[in-house]
Amino acid sequence: MDQAVNASQLAAPGSSLSLWGLFLQSDIVVKLVILCLLLASIWVWAIIFEKVTTIRRANRDANTFEDHFWSGGSLDELYDHEGQKPDHPMAAVFGAAMGEWRRTARIAGADISQTAVRERVDRAMNVTIQREMERMERWMIFLASIGATAPFIGLFGTVWGIMHSFSAIAAMHNTNLAVVAPGIAEALFATAIGLVAAIPSVLAYNAIGTDLARYAARLEGFGTEFSAILSRQTEERA
C-alpha cells in the first residue's frame, strides 16, 4: 500500500463528504464492495417489482377464472377455452386435472369411479401446483441471501476502509478530526450501502413469501374442491 499517496488523499483539505465524493475518495476495495452492493440493490428492486406484479396478476386471473368456474357452465367448455393452453397457475391446475380425467374417460372399459383414477387426478394437480409455485418463487432465494449477507459485505468494506485510513493517519502522524473524518466516513459509507440493500430484501422476502404462501393455499383449496366435484361426477356416471 502506498502510504504517502493515501495519506495525502486522506488529508486533502478539499475532501468532499458528499456521497459521490466519498465514493471517489475511497480505496479500490471499498469501491468494489460499494459497486457490488449497489448492483445487488438494483437487482433486489427489480425482483420485488417483478414478484409484486406477478402475484397481483395471478390473483386477478384466478378471480376471473373462479367466476367462470363457479358460473355453472360446462367444465368441458372451460377446459377447451382455458385448460388446454393455460396462461396462469389456476388454469394450469384445472387443465392438469381435467386432462387426466379425460384421458381416463377415453380408455375403453375404464372405470372412472375407481380410487386410482381420483388419485391420479389429485397427483396431477399437486405436481402442477408445485411446478407453478416453484416458477413463482424463482429468485426468492436471492432476496434471502442479500438480506442475510449484504450487511456483512458492507461491514467488510468498512473494516477495510478503516484499516486503510488508520494506515494513512499513522503515516501522517496527525489525528486531527479534519484529517480523520473523510477516511472514516468513506469506510462507513460501505456499511450504509449494505443496509440499503439488505433492509428492502428482508422486508420484501417476508411480505412476498407470505403472499406466495397464501396463493399456494388458494391453489390447493381450489384443487381440493375440484377433486370433490370430479369425484361426484364420476360416481354419478358409474
Side-chain angles (χ1 to χ4, degrees):
M1 181 182 295
D2 189 350
Q3 292 182 340
V5 174
N6 292 334
S8 64
Q9 292 175 345
L10 188 65
S15 295
S16 174
L17 293 181
S18 66
L19 297 181
W20 180 244
L22 291 175
F23 174 76
L24 293 179
Q25 295 159 195
S26 61
D27 181 69
I28 183 62
V29 175
V30 180
K31 280 189 176 75
L32 291 176
V33 168
I34 292 174
L35 287 175
C36 289
L37 290 173
L38 286 175
L39 290 175
S41 180
I42 293 172
W43 192 244
V44 162
W45 281 106
I47 292 172
I48 292 173
F49 177 79
E50 189 270 335
K51 292 303 175 189
V52 170
T53 302
T54 298
I55 293 172
R56 286 181 177 175
R57 183 172 60 248
N59 278 306
R60 183 175 63 250
D61 292 338
N63 290 336
T64 302
F65 179 83
E66 285 185 325
D67 289 341
H68 294 158
F69 181 82
W70 296 111
S71 64
S74 170
L75 293 181
D76 290 324
E77 292 180 1
L78 184 60
Y79 174 73
D80 294 336
H81 183 259
E82 295 194 41
Q84 289 188 340
K85 295 182 179 180
D87 57 359
H88 59 90
M90 187 166 287
V93 174
F94 170 77
M98 280 294 294
E100 182 63 34
W101 189 75
R102 275 188 166 188
R103 284 190 292 272
T104 302
R106 285 198 297 265
I107 298 175
D111 184 3
I112 60 176
S113 65
Q114 291 181 355
T115 303
V117 176
R118 294 195 295 270
E119 289 179 351
R120 286 200 298 271
V121 170
D122 290 341
R123 187 159 49 248
M125 287 192 291
N126 290 335
V127 170
T128 303
I129 291 173
Q130 182 178 2
R131 183 178 63 247
E132 293 296 325
M133 292 310 302
E134 286 177 353
R135 181 179 58 81
M136 294 184 68
E137 291 170 357
R138 191 177 304 160
W139 295 109
M140 288 295 291
I141 190 64
F142 182 82
L143 292 182
S145 299
I146 293 299
T149 61
F152 297 101
I153 296 174
L155 184 60
F156 167 75
T158 295
V159 171
W160 185 275
I162 290 176
M163 291 170 57
H164 168 262
S165 300
F166 282 173
S167 177
I169 290 169
M172 291 186 60
H173 305 288
N174 187 349
T175 58
N176 186 281
L177 184 60
V179 175
V180 175
I184 301 300
E186 70 189 37
L188 293 175
F189 185 41
T191 296
I193 297 299
L195 294 176
V196 167
I199 292 174
S201 299
V202 173
L203 295 177
Y205 179 81
N206 292 333
I208 295 173
T210 300
D211 291 339
L212 288 173
R214 189 179 295 117
Y215 186 75
R218 183 176 186 179
L219 291 181
E220 291 171 358
F222 171 78
T224 300
E225 292 176 335
F226 187 45
S227 178
I229 292 174
L230 289 180
S231 294
R232 285 195 296 270
Q233 289 193 1
T234 55
E235 289 173 0
E236 290 172 358
R237 293 188 181 186

